[in-house]
Structure formats: structure tokens, C-alpha cells
Amino acid sequence: MGALMIGIVIALGLIIIILVGYFISIYNSLVRLKNNINKAWSNIDVLLKQRHDELTKLLETVKGYMKYEEKVLTKVTEARTAFLNAGSVGEKAKADNMMSSALKSLFAVSENYPDLKANQSFIQFQSRISEIENQIADRREFYNDSVNTFNIRIEQIPHMFIARMLGYRARELFKVAEADRADVEIKFD
Amino acid sequence: MQYILSLFFAAIGAAVFFQGFKLMRKHRLIKDIPRSKIRAMAMGLVEIHGKIRADELIKSPFSQTDCVFYKYEIKELKRRSSGSGKNRRTRLEWVTIATGDRRIPFFAEDETGTAMVDPTGAEFNTEIKRSYHQDRDAFSGISDFISTIKNWDSRKEQLLDVSGLELKPIEAGKKLRFSKSAGDRRYHEYYLQNGDTLFLMGTAASSSEAPGNVVLKKGENEPTFIISDKSEKGTLKALKSKMITAFALGGVTFIAGVLVFLHLIGVI
């Protein structure tokens, strides 16, 4: 066998190694993307639970002051129950949207109660919940970026073939409710 | 001797070739992980974009610029010869004779918050910021100077005296107007300053010492820790070209080494 022939055989061998490596990297990348989504969701879930805990304490504080705001308090309690019963991403997203909307109403109505507004515990809970809300919004964006990257990748060639082999399907985005995008309507009697 | 040399070249080629896979992994990792906002950064491998903010700064060795990271390179123009007899040729080549870097912890800041960055073990990806040329007669005791820089690294209070080096600044992108001859030296400086925008990919870990209790550092299980003043796109482009170079150069060197070895043992 001539030098040229051996050179070509080795070069082909190296090209095959690169192709195998590329295939493995696509496989690993898809697995990583799928796990990124699960991790991003867990990171949101941690904050949703934290908000739930803070909310329980907040409700205890406001109950005494806002006796006549039954509608607002019921809305918050309902959202809290919906969150506890939610299982899938879609259900939790819906419950989260309900909660965000209920909290906005609660904080808006609290403006009518100067004593409550001056209460140190209320101020602390309000700031803590607002902080968590902001973090949830950022992590929701991150989750949607992760889902978007995954959904695009599994549609692209050559990733599509491996994704089909693995049985990967497009994942659901964490959608923000239309009501959440609009300003809160506040009515004073 | 020639046998060992050919096998050595084949081994170097194989190592460079497989380095291409490491770069491929890094390239994929950057593409796969979306950007996090600092406020909502979760524990584990994260990608953030932010500006450098630091109260304590160090000075770069040649331009004395206040920075949080610097790397220097000293290159010397050396005469290299190849071939023998009538085919003997000599050419001038820049050879690195000294290199070093220094880094200190700093903060990365975006519109949502601030995170502490511990740059120990980070791979810095930045362009040459300042270059200087030195004629061969201007300074002879290079080894003394290099050891001075290395000792000076640990003594941040003291400024390095570079006045005796007679350094001529080289403007970026412009051709050198003065002549080059063997023994000339070039001094290159890379640095990151307060306010520079960075692309960072590293492991976010909890730390009671850091504000916000989070620090970005090199992970115990995840070796990827990149600090770059290029955009994500620019970093990916640089990685891709390095990866292609590693596969091509490593592959060719490996094949050449194997062919020479086979020739020497009489197979071809």
C-alpha cells in the first residue's frame, strides 16, 4: 500500500471520528437542553413555593385591617389553592398568573388603609413578595428561552433525526396572562 | 531518534486533534445555555452579561492601566534557520520569551443586580489592548526584568519601573514604521477595566462572604469558566475557528507523523 493510500485511509478514519464525535455532541446537547428546561422549571417552582409561604404570613397580617375587602382576599386565597392543586406547567402557569393578578389587587387596595401601609411587617412582606415576583418574571423569561432553544433545535437538521429517535416533543411555554400585561384597574368607593 | 521524533509528532497531532472535541463541547455548552439575569441567577452553570465594577484595582505592567485582570507577553525576534547546504534558509520569527497574568475578584453588574466573580481558574478571552516595541540595544538583561515582573505580581502596591525599557507604543491596526531586526522585543498587554462589558459563563455557588450570597466561580464538577469581553456571538466564532484549526492541524500532524514513522520502519 502506497503512502498516499495510507494517508487517505488515516484521513478518512479521522473524519469518521469527527462525525461520531459530532453525533455524540448533538445527542448530549439535546439531553442537556431537555434537562435545562426541567432545571429552569424547578428554579421557578422554588420561588413559587417561597412566594406561597410569604403570602400565608402576609394574609395573616392584612386580615385584621382589611375585614371589608372580602372579594380581594378571596381572590388571593383562591389563587393560592389553585397553585397548591396545580400539577402541570400549564396549570402552574395559570395559577401563577391568577396569583400575580390577585396580589396586584391586594397591594392596590392596601393603599386605602394607612395603618396597614405603616405596619412594618406588611412593608417587609410586600417588599419580599415584590422581590420574588421580579425573580419569577426573570426566571420565567429564562425558562421560555430554554424551551424556545429546545423547540427550535428539535426541528433543525440534523438534530431532528436524533430528537425523533429519543422521542422528544416540543415543550410548553410559560405564558403570561393577557390580564397580567394590562394595568390593574383600581376602584375606590 | 527519528523514530521517536515521528511518534512524538503523531502523539502531539492526536492530542491537538482531540482538543478539538473539548472545544466542540464548550461551543455547544455556550449555545445551549440561555442568558440569565443576575437577580434571578440560579445555582449551577450560568451565563450572564454584565459590566465590571470593582473598588480595588491592580495596575497592568507596561501601560500602568487600572484593571481587574491583565496578561502580558514578551516576544523576541529570533533568527531561525531551516534546511542544509544550498537549501539553508534563515528567517526572522517572533518567539514568546515570557508570559504571565494576574486577576483579582470583581463584581459583574447588569440592569437587575450585582454578582461577585472569583476569577480563579477562569479562561480569559480578550484581545491585545496595548503593544510596545523595543529595539534590541535598549535593554539587555531580559531575565532580570522577567523575574522582576513575576515578583512584582505579588506586590501590588509597588509600580513597575518601565522607563528604562524605552518602549515605543504600537497603535492598534497600524503598521510599524521603524525597522525590525533580530533581538527586538514586543511587549503585549491584555487587560479588563472597570466598566468593560463582559460575557461570563461559570458556576454560580452560594457564598456567605459575597453580597447577595452568590459568587460566580469555577465549578468543582464543571470546568467551564469563561470571562470574555467579546459578545456571545464573538466568543462562539472564536471557539469555532479554534475548533476547526485543532481538527485540521492535529489531523495533518498526526497523519504526517504516522507516515514518516511507517516510512522509517520500511512499511512504505
Side-chain angles (χ1 to χ4, degrees), chain B residues 132-231:
Chain B
Y132 300 90
H133 183 88
Q134 180 198 40
D135 293 330
R136 65 175 165 177
D137 300 327
F139 192 83
S140 53
I142 192 72
S143 57
D144 294 341
F145 180 67
I146 292 166
S147 70
T148 310
I149 297 181
K150 287 188 173 157
N151 290 330
W152 174 76
D153 278 356
S154 55
R155 289 177 281 148
K156 64 179 179 200
E157 301 299 327
Q158 212 173 331
L159 286 178
L160 187 71
D161 183 16
V162 290
S163 55
L165 298 178
E166 294 178 28
L167 300 176
K168 296 173 187 168
I170 304 169
E171 277 184 62
K174 289 200 175 172
K175 282 195 174 176
L176 205 61
R177 288 181 187 276
F178 30 92
S179 62
K180 293 182 288 181
S181 53
D184 285 0
R185 289 183 195 124
R186 289 262 171 96
Y187 296 75
H188 296 302
E189 222 175 48
Y190 306 72
Y191 52 74
L192 293 174
Q193 291 175 280
N194 237 341
D196 281 353
T197 304
L198 298 182
F199 158 81
L200 300 112
M201 179 171 254
T203 302
S206 56
S207 163
S208 53
E209 289 165 19
N213 297 325
V214 181
V215 64
L216 193 73
K217 58 179 196 172
K218 185 171 183 167
E220 284 167 18
N221 303 315
E222 174 51 64
T224 308
F225 188 19
I226 302 167
I227 299 177
S228 171
D229 62 354
K230 290 178 187 163
S231 63

Side-chain angles (χ1 to χ4, degrees), chain A residues 28-42:
Chain A
N28 287 344
S29 167
L30 286 171
V31 172
R32 189 184 302 119
L33 286 172
K34 193 190 91 175
N35 288 332
N36 279 352
I37 296 174
N38 296 342
K39 190 183 158 209
W41 177 249
S42 303

Side-chain angles (χ1 to χ4, degrees), chain A residues 16-127:
Chain A
I16 291 169
I17 292 173
I18 292 175
L19 288 176
V20 170
Y22 183 63
F23 175 85
I24 294 170
S25 84
I26 290 176
Y27 175 87
N28 287 344
S29 167
L30 286 171
V31 172
R32 189 184 302 119
L33 286 172
K34 193 190 91 175
N35 288 332
N36 279 352
I37 296 174
N38 296 342
K39 190 183 158 209
W41 177 249
S42 303
N43 289 331
I44 294 178
D45 217 23
V46 168
L47 290 176
L48 292 176
K49 284 197 175 84
Q50 272 182 24
R51 186 179 64 180
H52 176 263
D53 295 343
E54 295 290 334
L55 200 67
T56 311
K57 294 173 201 161
L58 178 81
L59 282 177
E60 287 305 315
T61 312
V62 301
K63 258 178 192 169
Y65 294 91
M66 297 167 74
K67 283 175 198 162
Y68 308 107
E69 301 292 348
E70 208 179 311
K71 207 174 159 186
V72 177
L73 294 174
T74 310
K75 214 172 145 189
V76 177
T77 316
E78 274 173 9
R80 203 166 54 134
T81 315
F83 171 73
L84 284 174
N85 296 331
S88 68
V89 173
E91 284 170 358
K92 284 212 173 173
K94 206 174 160 190
D96 175 61
N97 289 329
M98 266 175 80
M99 180 66 81
S100 297
S101 158
L103 279 173
K104 274 184 187 171
S105 305
L106 177 75
F107 290 139
V109 169
S110 70
E111 297 287 323
N112 299 338
Y113 299 86
D115 289 350
L116 175 65
K117 270 183 72 190
N119 184 309
Q120 277 306 313
S121 300
F122 177 76
I123 294 168
Q124 267 181 18
F125 289 133
Q126 189 179 22
S127 113

